[in-house]
Amino acid sequence: MGSYIVRRILIAVPLLLTISFLTFILINLSPLDPAEVVLQAQGVPEITEDLLKQTKEQLGMDKPFILQYFDWLYATLQLDFGDSYINNKPVWSLIGPAFLNTFKLTLVSSISIILISIILGVICALNEGKILDKSVRGFSFFLTAMPSYWLASIMIWYISVKLDLLPTSGMESYKSYILPVIIITISYAGIYFRNVRTSMLNNLHEDYVLYGRASGLSEWKITKHILRNSLQVAISIFGMSIPIILGSTVVIENVFAWPGLGTLSVKAILSRDFPIIQAYVLILAASFVLFNTISDIINAAMNPKLRNDL
């Protein structure tokens, strides 16, 4: 198992380096000169060539491209993403607390999604073709078809404004989590539970289930074996759901005024604050690689046959 983990990490390293390089060149894809953006943010009334040259020297943009990248990469490995173009504060001092807030929301939502997906998936699989199975699937299709921002607006109006039960925005207490988590769970649980159901149904028709019943094992023990084998597929899906949710909270955070990465990134994009945008893209991309690696390691721990695939 140890050698598998090492090999999996060695595969992730060049992928992360490629992602970091692509993230760095984002700043060069913009039609605007970053030095000009900095001067505009500082309120300089007249931007001259001398000012642009001086600003580029201060930002290290006068160096060859590859040297700029290695300097940036070295600083990034130390969580130094530079300073914001807008307020001159270190990017990490802005994106760190925002990432923590988003991660809290993502973690609570992911736990909710996993639990509901497994419960609904098992119930539907064990009641295949029955009214309960069809009703749950039909209702899930209906809910997942609703745009999250529209559903969030409706729930804010009814639950927060009309009934005055929950806060409309911010993250002042545990109550602030309830509505955003419900919206995110509705958006994703309806998709993931069908994966659990499909995997359960595939295992229900395996020979070991027939042998178990012929040997007199209880349905509860057989169901536990089926669920364990089914979760090997679900773990990969759930593992990737965390970075997906992490990156897709932009809409929910802006609707509920949640002080997270989504809200910060939208402000950075509107103000063309490139260092924050770079840090945001890099964190999301690294999250995908990290959780994909973790889910592969967990699967390999559950199924030794997978350890020889690399």
Side-chain angles (χ1 to χ4, degrees), residues 1 33 41 49 59 73 77 103 146 169 197 229 263 301 309:
M1 187 64 195
D33 188 338
E49 290 296 329
L59 297 175
L73 180 62
L77 292 174
F103 187 75
M146 293 182 180
S169 60
R197 176 185 178 274
N229 292 332
T263 304
D309 290 345

Side-chain angles (χ1 to χ4, degrees), residues 120-167:
L120 291 180
V122 172
I123 291 174
C124 289
L126 296 179
N127 294 275
E128 181 188 7
K130 297 181 180 179
I131 295 177
L132 180 60
D133 177 33
K134 294 179 180 179
S135 300
V136 172
R137 285 190 293 150
F139 191 59
S140 71
F141 275 118
F142 174 73
L143 289 179
T144 53
M146 293 182 180
S148 57
Y149 62 86
W150 180 81
L151 188 59
S153 301
I154 294 297
M155 295 189 74
I156 289 174
W157 168 77
Y158 185 74
I159 296 177
S160 299
V161 177
K162 192 172 182 179
L163 299 180
D164 194 24
L165 295 176
L166 297 171

Side-chain angles (χ1 to χ4, degrees), residues 39-52:
L39 292 173
Q40 288 177 351
Q42 294 174 352
V44 177
E46 184 178 355
I47 300 175
T48 63
E49 290 296 329
D50 290 338
L51 276 175
L52 286 173

